[in-house]
Structure formats: C-alpha cells, structure tokens
Amino acid sequence: MSDRPTPVGALLRAAPPDRLPEVAAEHLRRHHRAGRVEVLLGDLTLTALRPLLDPDGPLGDVLAQRCFGSQRPVADIASDSARTYLPLSVWGERLGVLSVETPAPPDGCLTEEFATVADELAVALRAADAVTDRYRRAQRRERLTMAAELQWELLPGRSLGDDRFLVAGQLQPAYAVFGDHYDWSIAGDRLTLTVLNGHGDGLEAAVLTTVAVNAMRNARRSGANIVEQAELASDAVYARFGGDGHAATLLLEIDLVDGQVEAVDAGSPRAVIARDREIQPVVLEQQLPLGMFGETRYETQKFLLEPADRLLVVSDGVHAAAPGGRPPYGESALLTALRRTRLQPATEAVGTVMRNLREYHGGVEPDDDAVTVCLDWRR
C-alpha cells in the first residue's frame, strides 16, 4: 500500500464544513513540519483580517495585509523561523490569507505546496459558506441590521475575475446598508453587471431591492437579455409596491472579446471610464427606474471598452453625496479618487474610492448608503 498522504482537497471535502481551518492546519503540521498556522478572513469592509483558529488572537499584520492586497505569497524570515503568508482566493474573489510558520524558510517547492493547500482551502471555504455560519460570524465586528443582512445575503461575492477581466464591488456602510446593491454573472464571453439603488431606507428598501434583484436573476437564468431582465424586474417591483417604491438601476452586458457594452440605464447609477490618463463619463439616456410605473418598456444603448480600460459604476450615495452642503462628491472628488487608483487592481480601487468618500464627509454622518463597482478589462 502507498504511504503517500491523502491529498488535502480530499481531506477538506470529507471534513465537516465548519472544521475546514483545523483540517488544513493539521495537514500542514503533519506533512510539512509547520508550526503555528492561522487562517485569516477579510472582514465585511475588507480592511481587517480576522483569525479563525484563534479567534482571540491578533488581526492580520502588515505582511498579511500586503499578501491580501497583492494576491502574492509574502515571506517573513527571522533567525530561528519563517512565516509565509499565502492568499486565499477563488475565481478572483479574495477571501483572506493562510499564515504558515516553519522552522526554516521554505524553498520553492514547499511554497508551491503551501499554495496548493491555500487554493484548496479557499474553494472549500467558499462552498461551506452556504451551510455554516462560522465564517460569516468571524467577518463581523458587530451585529448587522436586518436590512443589511438581506443585502449581504444577496451579493454574488466581492470580486470576480480571470485572465480577461477583474470586477470588484463594495457597499458602505457595511453594517447598515439599505437599498443599494450590485450583481454580476459570467457566461462564456459575456459578463452581466448591474448596480441598483433601491428607493427608501430600512427594511422596506432592502425588500424592494430583493424583489428587483431576484426578478432580474430569474429572467437572466431563463436566457433573457438585459431589456427583458429590466422589464420583468420593473413589473415585479410595481406589482409589489404599486409605484410607491422603485429601483434606479444600471444594467450592463459586456462582451469580453471585443469590449462592446449594451446598457439599460434605468435611473441614477453613474459610470465613468478611466482610459490611459483620461477619465470620461459614460453618457447614457436615462429611462424610468424599475417599478415606477406598470408595464414600462426599455431600450438598450451601446458603448465600447478599449483594452486596459477601467469602468467605474457608482450609486447616488457616492456621486450625489453632498455632506454639510458641499458640492456633490461626483463633481470632482470622485475623479480625484479614481486617479489615485491608477496603479491599483480593481479589488483595491473600490476601497480607495470608499475611503475617499468617507474622508469627504469629514465626520458628517452619510444620509444614504453607497455602492461602488470597478471593472478592469484586461484584453
């Protein structure tokens, strides 16, 4: 019989879904002479890395944050030991960081083996998220409002990508969002992307957004195009709210081969394109928000992305924010923030825009929630 160790992927698939970090850590200790192992998950704001194996332990340090941001292994070598940080990511979504301590610096082969463990663990964590609350609890510093719980449950993730594109989104404030939302789906060479701003606040806004998003998904999963998605969602929202609630929505379908974009602009989300050193608005004719009237019909408009373009879409909680009577954030501060992101990947750029928005408020409490989505087309 072979004495080769059981592959870590098989061990994780056989493990209880809430015990994945322990299984990965035991595998590393038994077969790779690892000492202390920690699994760090990004919190809801993606500004801190929270430990799973030792919940009372320290947050991820600056090297762990560097690994999380760069999505590359980072080594910390001391005189008597070494610590290697490896990204936990799957399909372009950053989940966290795997930290492994060894008696000596790992060579290239061992680092590759650590990376394999991290990759298998990331896939398993993504799958287990639907059947255990352990990982969701670890990501939270405080209790979410009911509206925020609905919104986070609706999200497709916080980033998605491959060698063709990278898209990332962020909600703010994370623990008390109301009606703002984003969604995406990839099918072959077409990426469907929506940004939505539900009318009102509190639980009613979250319910409205839930109806609209699930109606669009229902249409999309039945093979409908973005016009049909918008019309079904509009009819569903109107049937539920009778015109008293509506959802301003931008629907985009992006051809990842030639950069052609079909758009349905149903309200207030705004889009800009960063191309080389220039930033230009995407000018679209606004149509009625979803659900404002019964049997509303929509038309598509088109624009073109060029290789290496960055597309940024923001809700009115970003572009129309005017704290303390200041000019709207979108008039100039948004462009300044976007220029700061020029060398950052989309996953970091959304955080930069949101941090700049918080600074723009200067301590004034925002009167609206906000969503930012950033797409890099890599062709």
Side-chain angles (χ1 to χ4, degrees):
M1 294 181 62
S2 173
D3 58 357
R4 295 179 61 186
T6 303
V8 66
L11 293 173
L12 292 168
R13 288 190 291 275
D18 63 332
R19 302 298 294 169
L20 301 177
E22 286 78 7
V23 170
E26 176 59 23
H27 176 85
L28 288 165
R29 286 192 287 263
R30 177 174 296 182
H31 299 292
H32 299 298
R33 299 178 60 213
R36 187 172 184 274
V37 176
E38 187 54 271
V39 178
L40 301 155
L41 286 187
D43 71 353
L44 289 184
T45 63
L46 295 182
T47 58
L49 294 167
R50 307 180 70 82
L52 281 174
L53 290 168
D54 180 10
D56 297 323
L59 300 178
D61 60 17
V62 64
L63 294 180
Q65 288 283 0
R66 183 184 302 170
C67 171
F68 186 71
S70 69
Q71 289 294 283
R72 297 178 182 275
V74 173
D76 181 17
I77 301 173
S79 58
D80 57 349
S81 65
R83 179 166 293 280
T84 304
Y85 299 92
L86 303 111
L88 294 169
S89 58
V90 56
W91 302 310
E93 180 170 10
R94 303 179 302 165
L95 304 180
V97 170
L98 173 65
S99 170
V100 185
E101 187 178 273
T102 50
D107 58 20
C109 290
L110 186 55
T111 299
E112 287 185 11
E113 291 179 15
F114 289 169
T116 297
V117 174
D119 290 344
E120 294 281 5
L121 178 58
V123 172
L125 287 169
R126 189 72 160 84
D129 188 59
V131 292
T132 176
D133 290 334
R134 179 184 181 186
Y135 311 120
R136 297 286 184 104
R137 287 200 303 267
Q139 292 175 308
R140 304 176 181 200
R141 298 194 306 269
E142 59 191 77
R143 185 172 181 171
L144 273 66
T145 64
M146 274 298 299
E149 191 74 54
L150 282 174
Q151 294 295 81
W152 281 101
E153 193 65 28
L154 270 181
L155 288 179
R158 286 181 282 183
S159 53
L160 174 72
D162 56 28
D163 60 350
R164 300 168 296 175
F165 74 99
L166 178 63
V167 62
Q170 190 162 323
L171 292 175
Q172 184 176 294
Y175 292 85
V177 288
F178 307 128
D180 284 11
H181 190 267
Y182 61 83
D183 196 20
W184 51 58
S185 178
I186 182 73
D189 288 321
R190 303 193 79 82
L191 174 69
T192 302
L193 172 65
T194 62
V195 175
L196 182 146
N197 178 24
H199 174 77
D201 54 28
L203 192 56
E204 280 298 295
V207 171
L208 187 155
T209 296
T210 300
V211 171
V213 169
N214 279 294
M216 285 186 284
R217 287 176 176 173
N218 177 264
R220 188 182 72 223
R221 292 165 182 171
S222 299
N225 60 34
I226 58 172
V227 166
E228 295 166 318
Q229 292 168 35
E231 291 176 354
L232 178 63
S234 184
D235 290 346
V237 171
Y238 185 81
R240 171 63 179 81
F241 294 93
D244 292 333
H246 50 81
T249 308
L250 179 63
L251 299 90
L252 304 174
E253 188 172 82
I254 302 156
D255 189 316
L256 296 172
V257 175
D258 61 15
Q260 288 284 346
V261 183
E262 291 191 359
V264 172
D265 186 342
S268 69
R270 303 286 177 84
V272 297
I273 293 175
R275 179 174 295 157
D276 296 326
R277 295 183 178 274
E278 296 184 359
I279 299 172
Q280 58 191 52
V282 176
V283 180
L284 300 169
E285 182 179 347
Q286 289 191 4
Q287 301 170 72
L288 292 173
L290 306 181
M292 182 170 283
F293 298 103
E295 299 184 358
T296 303
R297 295 297 171 253
Y298 294 93
E299 297 180 352
T300 59
Q301 302 168 72
K302 295 182 179 181
F303 61 94
L304 184 67
L305 293 178
E306 296 183 2
D309 272 1
R310 165 165 289 175
L311 175 67
L312 187 81
V313 184
V314 296
S315 68
D316 65 355
V318 179
H319 70 76
R326 301 181 67 182
Y329 178 77
E331 288 186 0
S332 61
L334 176 61
L335 302 183
T336 299
L338 188 53
R339 290 188 181 97
R340 292 179 183 175
T341 73
R342 188 169 60 88
L343 299 179
Q344 295 178 329
T347 45
E348 294 289 295
V350 289
T352 296
V353 171
M354 288 302 206
R355 284 192 298 274
N356 190 270
L357 177 63
R358 288 195 295 271
E359 293 169 3
Y360 193 76
H361 277 83
V364 176
E365 192 68 23
D367 57 9
D368 196 5
D369 51 349
V371 62
T372 296
V373 173
C374 184
L375 168 71
D376 288 341
W377 187 45
R378 293 168 163 170
R379 299 297 288 221

